[in-house]
Amino acid sequence: MTTELLQVKNLKQYFPIKGGLLGRKINDVKAVDDISFSIKAGETLSIVGESGCGKSTTGRAILRLDEPTAGEIHFQGDDLLSLNKKEMRKKRKDLQIIFQDPYASINPRQTVRQVLNEAMEIQNVLPKEQRYDRMIELLETVGLGPDKLDRFPHEFSGGQRQRIGIARALAVDPKLIICDESVSALDVSIQAQVLNLLKKLQREFDLTYLFISHDLGVVRHISDRVVVMYLGKIVEIGDKKSLFDNPKHPYTKTLLSAIPVPDPKRKKDQIILKGDVPSPIDPPTGCRFHTRCPFATERCVTEVPELRNTTGMKNGHESACHYIEEIESGEMKPKY
Amino acid sequence: MESPKTIIKVDNLQTSFYTDKGEVKAVDGVSFEIPSGKTLGIVGESGSGKSITSLSVMRLIQDPGKIKGGQILFNGENLLDKSEAQMRRIRGNQISMIFQEPMTSLNPVFTVGDQIAEAYMIHEGKSKKEALRKALDMLKLVGIPSPEQRLKQYPHELSGGMRQRVMIAIALACNPELLIADEPTTALDVTIQAQILRLINNLQEELGMSVMLITHDLGVVAETCDYVAVMYAGKVVEYADVETLFESPKHPYTVGLLKSLPRHDIDQEGELEVIKGMVPTPDNLPKGCRFAPRCPFASDICADRLPELDELEDNSQVRCWIYTDEWDGKSGVSVKDDYGTFASKES
């Protein structure tokens, strides 16, 4: 079964910058600039990248928490962008999101019972009299005892709160869950518990995940396929193994080499980039990575590279670089 | 391993907070030392007391907190005996500190140049003009592009990585002997983190200073530190040189941490090992070993009595009953190799 659950086509999300005396639009922040990808039913697709690359914006755009500027988002055959507000709200039953900060995403004045009940009520998933049993079942599923039902969020630790966030998402029986940095705020030992829980739930309930994270260790663990973004563009996409073991884009390579490895004996050749990520208001022309790329040429400044697959790359693995072959063969050397 | 000179020796440090609920022992008998020119990493999760340890060394603990015991010997002198005026001369001059969030530790209404220059004016009595000239040199040293222009800018005009470089410039302005870095790269992206860590390493070699690095990231420790202290619930549970710690971790907590870390560089099939349960709150600590309720190896003695930090044959130190003669659990266990088996048996 390789049916595509979600298809994103040419998605653009620009945020206007207003200024001047009349508050007119003077420019755009091009947070997501023409990206396309799809997610198969039952898989975990991750989007990785640094701050400002557009990964969270992509997740929010799919749920229409922000209205995308252009593009198409097909979910089980429907174009989400053509739905009206009411229809979209109904669709959100199938599309849930778990945020990074469980402190901020759960109403502090509601008990767990109210949080879960509200979710079920809005989507009308169960008749009232069956909801209590379902809530207890949900708590058990995410590893919390039934005694927690009438507690308030402040009575829980960060890891437990994230479990409540997960229970709330599960309450409406979704098909796709967007996890936006869902384990990033947790301590390592708790993070591992929540990651294992997410994997278990995926098996049990046939869930599909769009996993947004800056942590490549977490991504390698949880994903089937990975998308790497830089300044609003996809620079590389592929199955987990290809992407981590055989990265092709200079940015992906840098990103992987920059992460500290918990093994002091592995002295690796770290590629250290110069400078910061440029502003998405006026992104660099051509390849957006050219200002920091050690291989960049004149062509990279003028010509936008397309995602492509070439010899030595597995099916479905694509990189947006003009010089995949030349870098691979060693014909082009990095200029540090 | 006896090194020629010890820059700082912390001995049985105890820092408590006195709240309505009673005394909270945030740091409870922590001891370590840093050889001159070396880097000590202090790792631990939230609530382990690692940040309070670093603030205690700087004597920056505020009400209702109090350093209630121990010694902090800096070049042989006990910092706990110093007056506030004496401490002020030491801070920023001999011992400097950088924090996680450069935006909140920089003053938003002064220019970058003014803030670096201040250190020279206070500690070295330089004139404003001279101090600004030295500030410019510092900006160059920490690798900020177009430093002349940056000198006149305000913190909000800089990116996160730039701000952290400015913080480092301020911290290093007076050539401190010890730099305390509290999660200096946690708020930064990985490519910027790599730049900052390399910068700290290079400057350390150039200036010959010692570094105390507080972090939760074992990867950062492996790449930058010479020695490591692992903290859990206010106590050091393991201390070793960096190679020994990663190659043969001793304490079940250290082993659990290493195993629960998702790695980007190797395949880990199936589930991650976990440390079950949660860190105990400091107002409700277990009676015996503080890790016992979460430890897959825990035996009767662990629940009953707190173990000491003992030195083993390979010079590492560990606070665990398994390595003592009094161990009453299964004999012949290897914490590192058997962790998974024991952990899965339990759940």
Side-chain angles (χ1 to χ4, degrees), chain B residues 23 46 56 58 84 93-94 97 109 139 142 174 216 234 240 250 271 291 294 296 299 303 321 342:
Chain B
E23 182 187 352
S46 335
S56 301
M58 283 294 257
E84 185 49 39
N93 192 16
Q94 289 167 284
M97 188 158 182
V109 298
L139 283 184
V142 297
C174 294
H216 70 283
K250 308 287 190 311
E271 298 214 316
F291 187 60
R294 304 177 76 191
S299 167
W321 286 117
F342 274 74

Side-chain angles (χ1 to χ4, degrees), chain A residues 50-51 187 193 220 273 276, chain B residues 46 159 189 191 195 264 275:
Chain A
E50 299 179 281
S51 335
D187 273 322
Q193 294 173 358
R220 179 166 192 154
L273 286 183
D276 287 320
Chain B
S46 335
S159 69
D189 277 319
T191 58
Q195 295 173 354
H264 77 278
I275 303 175

Side-chain angles (χ1 to χ4, degrees), chain A residues 267-286:
Chain A
K267 294 281 175 238
K268 356 159 260 184
D269 293 321
Q270 234 181 22
I271 314 168
I272 299 215
L273 286 183
K274 290 209 168 63
D276 287 320
V277 181
S279 156
I281 299 171
D282 277 309
T285 55

